[in-house]
Amino acid sequence: SRDDTLRVASLEAVSSACADIGEAPSATASPEALRHITTLLGSEHVLVGSSRIATNGDATIVTIDMCVQDAHTGEIVGTVLETGSIAELPDLAARIAIRIRPILGALPAQRGARAPRLETWSPAGLEAYSRGLASLGEKRIDDAVSALRLAATTDARNPTVRLALSHALWLSGD
């Protein structure tokens, strides 16, 4: 049923489901991947996306592009695009979550309510995280793993860092 709760499959579960059928990460999921994910995880929707890192002088700009697909038909039912500085990354994630909820049929967050900030960032951790994301964007997976391991050591309780590191490790085959 559709209510105000969302079940979220871990990145590892989705990655494993895609790896089972030889599917590589992409901006949208193939019909075969959607069927497999639906069978294994019972998902109604699949959220896929990409991020881009660009530097403009001293500023590091992050663009996150998300796509919601119906897991049964493959139809794109919504998209969300957010852009901001790397320092705003936690707020970008919160804004994306607020905009995605109605697409998924979940009750929207209360008007004016902000998503809780779960992440804590040290300057060194944020810098290492930024280098890791930039390296991922440039397909330098070993450099990304190294930078994200440093970020995870510096900001050990930060779930965003741990998620990015697990994705980089998956891409590296570790």
Side-chain angles (χ1 to χ4, degrees):
S1 74
R2 291 185 168 193
D3 60 11
D4 65 333
T5 61
L6 297 175
R7 290 179 296 127
V8 178
S10 71
L11 174 63
E12 291 82 10
V14 174
S15 296
S16 176
C18 288
D20 287 348
I21 59 168
E23 184 85 12
S26 65
T28 58
S30 71
E32 182 182 2
L34 289 169
R35 282 190 299 276
H36 192 63
I37 290 168
T38 300
T39 301
L40 288 177
L41 306 174
S43 301
E44 292 180 31
H45 296 94
V46 175
L47 178 65
V48 293
S50 63
S51 61
R52 290 176 297 285
I53 307 284
T55 55
N56 185 3
D58 291 339
T60 301
I61 305 300
V62 179
T63 301
I64 300 174
D65 190 3
M66 303 301 294
C67 172
V68 180
Q69 286 181 267
D70 181 291
H72 302 285
T73 66
E75 176 187 359
I76 295 174
V77 296
T79 60
V80 173
L81 177 73
E82 288 284 345
T83 300
S85 72
I86 192 74
E88 297 174 296
L89 190 59
D91 290 331
L92 289 175
R95 290 197 310 259
I96 289 169
I98 288 168
R99 291 180 57 200
I100 292 279
R101 289 181 66 80
I103 295 170
L104 296 173
L107 293 175
Q110 293 180 357
R111 184 176 205 108
R114 291 179 52 118
R117 289 186 75 157
L118 302 175
E119 298 91 351
T120 57
W121 297 90
S122 68
L126 186 59
E127 193 276 331
Y129 178 71
S130 175
R131 278 190 291 115
L133 290 184
S135 295
L136 278 176
E138 295 167 0
K139 308 284 190 242
R140 294 182 296 121
I141 305 305
D142 290 339
D143 292 341
V145 168
S146 177
L148 291 169
R149 278 191 170 138
L150 175 61
T153 301
T154 306
D155 291 334
R157 293 181 176 235
N158 188 317
T160 303
V161 172
R162 291 192 317 256
L163 178 64
L165 176 58
S166 68
H167 180 69
L169 288 169
W170 177 76
L171 290 172
S172 75
D174 281 351

